[in-house]
Each structure stands twice: as structure tokens, then as C-alpha cells.
Amino acid sequence: KAGVTQTPRYLIKTRGQQVTLSCSPISGHRSVSWYQQTPGQGLQFLFEYFSETQRNKGNFPGRFSGRQFSNSRSEMNVSTLELGDSALYLCASSATGETQYFGPGTRLLVL
Amino acid sequence: GENVEQHPSTLSVQEGDSAVIKCTYSDSASNYFPWYKQELGKRPQLIIDIRSNVGEKKDQRIAVTLNKTAKHFSLHITETQPEDSAVYFCAASLTGYSTLTFGKGTMLLVSP
């Protein structure tokens, strides 16, 4: 099976803009989770979608949002970008809601 | 919520030595504990996991132990090789909930 894919791989944005990241899970996986990875805070959970419904949410401001489509592909959106949003955004897919497999990530730089 | 502490933050060993990374968790309800290896510029890769109904699990040179009473679990790598050099993350979650709480990571450097 093909692994988890994410697009785009790199993004440069300026403060105040918004951005949309995409994740395609492993075929047959219905759960997609998103994580933010920074040198200071490490890997932090953003939210999880299962069958098009947000099932869990981490402690991030409302500027961070997501959705999942009927084919299990997921998008996350960050509005009104801040410098501190610069990070590697990883998505992970799971068949069982337990074992998670990560995509290569989208590296976002906010200037 | 869950909190995972990981030690040490960096670990340097000679090729062939063993390496041990330790994690503690706070939520006694957590019952799934994966370990991920992340090489520079690459995605985290699952290397081994353990569930709370098991005390130890081995996969070739890698083993994980779990002490539910003390709420800590450890990764053991034997006969380390230079290609083991990477950042290792422990995590904890509750079965059925795709919410992994990660430790801060351990940078393992294996010198030839």
C-alpha cells in the first residue's frame, strides 16, 4: 500500500495570510490526525478526524481548523498566520485509532 | 490531560554498546505506548509499541518494557549501529483515541 502523503511539502507565507495543507491517508484508513512539530514544543496534537467527524481536539487556538472528506483525505487550515506558526505539520493515519503512520510533513515558514 | 516525560534528551554511545531511553506518563488510563524514530528531515517512523496488558516486547535489537504501577516505560537498543543515530520519541495514548502525547525526544548519537 502507498504510504501517507502530504502536500505541499514546503510553504512560505507572510503574517496574516492563511494556509491550507492536505493529507492523503493510507488506503482503507479512516482516521487522520494532525500534529505540529517545533524545536521548542516538540510534537503536539492538533486534532483527529474519523469518518468526516472531528473526534478529538488538542489545545490550539481556533485559527487552526480541519476537515475530512468522504474519501478520508483531510485538510487543515490555519488562518491569520503568526510567526510562531512556523513548524513542520505532520499528519498520521490509522486504521484502528491506535497505531499511527506519519506522512512526510509540510514545512511551513511564516515571514 | 496526559503528560509524558522523556530522558535523557541526548545520548551518545559507542557502536556496539546498548542504549536505554526512559519515559514516564501521568494518566493511569493510558494503555498504548509507541516509540518512533525520526531521522533528520524525515517522518517519524514507528519502531515498536506496547500495550498495557504486556510487560515486555522485543523485535530483534529493540525491546520495550512497561511498568504500569510506576507508570514508566523504556526503550532498549542493543548492539547499536551508526544507522541507529536519530531522534527517538516515546508517546502514550488511550486505545481507540488517536491522540498521541509525545515526550520531548532523545537524540541518540552512535559513534563508530
Side-chain angles (χ1 to χ4, degrees), chain A residues 8-29:
Chain A
R9 294 293 311 278
Y10 304 93
L11 266 179
I12 300 176
K13 293 285 187 179
T14 56
R15 278 181 298 175
Q17 286 187 312
Q18 73 167 16
V19 66
T20 299
L21 313 180
S22 180
C23 172
S24 292
I26 293 169
S27 178
H29 287 193

Side-chain angles (χ1 to χ4, degrees), chain A residues 32-91:
Chain A
V32 174
S33 298
W34 289 89
Y35 295 83
Q36 181 194 66
Q37 185 174 28
T38 59
Q41 298 299 317
L43 280 153
Q44 293 186 287
F45 171 76
L46 282 155
F47 30 66
E48 183 226 358
Y49 286 86
F50 183 87
S51 294
E52 302 180 64
T53 300
Q54 187 181 88
R55 195 161 65 168
N56 294 292
K57 189 177 189 306
N59 189 27
F60 278 81
R63 299 185 296 107
F64 292 82
S65 62
R67 59 177 176 170
Q68 187 179 34
F69 302 95
S70 59
N71 61 358
S72 293
R73 188 177 70 84
S74 177
E75 289 181 347
M76 69 164 280
N77 184 78
V78 188
S79 62
T80 320
L81 283 166
E82 301 177 359
L83 295 179
D85 297 333
S86 294
L88 179 66
Y89 290 89
L90 292 157
C91 78

Side-chain angles (χ1 to χ4, degrees), chain A residues 2 31 33 39 68 71 84 107-109:
Chain A
S31 169
S33 298
Q68 187 179 34
N71 61 358
R107 189 164 296 280
L108 172 65
L109 177 61

